[in-house]
Amino acid sequence: MGQFGIGQAVTRIEDQRLLTGGGRYNDDITLDGQTYAFILRSPHAYAEIVSMDTSAAQAADGVLLVLTGDDVTADDIDPMLCMAPVTNIDGSDRTGTYRPILAQGRVRHVGEPVAAIVAETLHQARDAAELIEIDYKELPATTDTYRSAQDGAPQIYDDTPNNVCFDWGKGDQAATEAAFAKASRVTTLELINNRVVVNSMEPRGAIGDHDPATGRSTLYSSSQGTHVLRDAIADKILKIGKENLRVVTGDVGGGFGMKIFPHPEQPIVVWAARKLARPVKWTADRSEGFMSDVQGRDHVTRAEMAMDDDGNFLALRVTTYASLGAYLSHFATFIPTEAGTGMLNGLYAIPAIWANVKGVITNTVPTDAYRGAGRPEAIYCVERLVDKCARELGIGPDEIRRRNFVKPAQLPYTTALGDVYDSGEFIEIMEAGMERADWAGVSARRDAAAKNGKLYGIGMATYVEKCGGGNAEVADVRFDTDNDHITIFIGTVTNGQGHDTAYKQIMSDRLGVDTDNITVVQGDSDAVPPGLTGGSRSVTVGGVAVSKASEEIIEKGRQVAAHVMETAEADIEYADATFRVTGTDRTMTLFDVARSAMEAGNLPDDAEPGLDEAYSHTPEAATYPNGCHVCEVEIDPDTGNVAIARYTVMDDFGDVVNPLLIEGQVHGGIVQGVGQALHEHTVYDDSGQLVSGSFMDYTLPRADDLPYFDFNMRNVKCVTNPLGIKGSGEAGAIGAPPAVINAIIDAMAAAGGSTEIDMPATPDVVWAAANQKLAAE
């Protein structure tokens, strides 16, 4: 074992650099001759562009270029595409949306880019934008997710009746209907999964640069994977060929899914830089982020559970209206369908499920992946419904789960929606979470709160997440034999998760090399192989690639060492970065062998020189982390204020590379989940104006809104992952929302208040629930 091994709680190696000002984020980049872009955005949710006059702006001081939709047409720039096909229930394909990088003919949401102004300074570009004269003819807008899909709603696209771009189903509808027909009990729940703005700490930004001598351009942009941007922008939008675009991502101040896919400003700055042969920089301010960053969630759902007299689940039926915004973003149609729907099964043995999802176009900012990407929405639905089933049956929330969980003897378990759970002890992890939270002692805490005039509630949510699957990740490992150093080139991009630490830790464990002698390179499409950060897959897939590359290096090194030391391969053992002839003191270090491997005479027949290794790992299956969140809340019925009194987590992440990194990931996820449950709410008025367009009106959780998190693990090794690990990056954001809302509803039920509560449970919502008679008056 090297300096650090797998399983150790190693503090993040990159933190020293970041905390001492050594980070290099996108806005830190300034290039020679750099110019600045300002994006003029639509003030209307839906309108025709009758005319546009840019002449005064073009003549303004410092202005170098003004681009509009007419220039998009003239330069044959293609629209942005949604890359996720969907087949409707009737066998037809979903409809699409035409999304130019600058509006053409019509604008369809507040904040849509209408013109790009490039000037010597940002102030000059901003001032020139005010000189552009645009005559808009406003059209009736529609923003409500459910109402937009009903007869009579304003139509946004002629080829999309009732604004429904797909009507998709998954499961066995006939079996589900048959189970409902014979059910003794049916519990029904209608709920809203509220729209949220991502609000990454680092806003989006993009810098385009161009070298006329080579014909190549460079895009510097905060991202979650350089190749996704390169391929979409170079091949699909600008059509310059991906060999003519390099994408570079430095340090990233949060992505949460939003920075995976292209936004219009990225191709705009590359296009402008190619026209000017000068760098063009654009950085979003916070208001622009609210109006233009793809947003998350926004579902309206009706869920029904069929049961027998004993509360055993027979079937689940779910209908969801998912708002996709005014345009289909890169992966937008995948998120409410295949990305998350399978998790409606939860941890339960439900014999039949039918899920119907309708994708709804609205005059709002497009939606796409946000931390968890469909799985939080599914788990929120099923965990809220299961709690309501328990209340209607008059049994505890733990008992109904205990009756219906998949049992260890049933594993591997194929769900009614086709996923295969490979490992887990679901009853045990729930009971361990309850014991840790002192569930049995909640009555005393409730009584103590009552003496202070407060309501007290306890809620649980169990969860499962499908993650860590999908495409391959490649670890390209190269030796610097002059300096006894190893570099890992990998396509994932750290957004604050601790990739640098985790990848070094895995290689240090496998090769016995100190982490000081290992460098991780990410975020340069010219240097790294294709890859992506998202879906809790960086360590579950990329980490396996690093591990397997290390094993290949050892095997090749064994051949070289045997050849040089003139012995059989079977006699070579390896430990602590050293090859040794078994039973002797004859040794060669890993770097000695790497140097020897560069000389043809030291190589076995047909062996390639050096120990460099590029290993591609394609996961054979997804991983299924799971767990139990227990939340306790204290509520002031006079103000509706909700205080989280205690929060306990019991997670199963399989074998663990670094428990400290995992705890940090779970803490962050819980905070985002609590934010959605209690605070965050994206509100559009009937005209399509974004009412919650700044932090004056959009609340993020603060430190004093949160308790100490009691984080624990009860891990069961993953059978399908070579490292035995399960993804952890999104788990906190999945378990937290239903746990918080279930706790509030428990407090309401105990006090005779309303149990019909949707997110966000803001003080006015909670006050009305606690004082339903007064609220009705």
Side-chain angles (χ1 to χ4, degrees), residues 5 72 130 135 155-156 245 321 380 423 447 520 538 574 640 701 725:
V72 170
E130 295 184 4
D135 181 14
Q155 295 298 287
I156 302 174
L245 181 63
Y321 290 79
Y380 180 73
S423 58
D447 291 344
V520 176
S538 292
Y574 183 83
I725 60 180

Side-chain angles (χ1 to χ4, degrees), residues 25-26 198-205 221-229 247 249-263 266 284 286 293-294 329-331 368-371 493-495 532-534:
Y25 297 90
N26 211 71
V198 176
N199 279 314
S200 56
M201 187 175 291
E202 178 199 22
R204 287 190 301 114
S221 191
S222 184
S223 81
Q224 293 177 234
T226 57
H227 289 74
V228 172
L229 295 183
V247 178
T249 295
D251 291 309
V252 179
F256 311 114
M258 180 263 291
K259 291 181 180 175
I260 293 175
F261 20 77
H263 287 69
Q266 292 157 322
R286 191 59 70 182
D293 296 352
V294 292
S329 181
H330 201 76
F331 295 141
D368 210 312
Y370 172 65
R371 196 171 192 168
V493 175
T494 184
N495 291 191
L532 173 69
T533 292

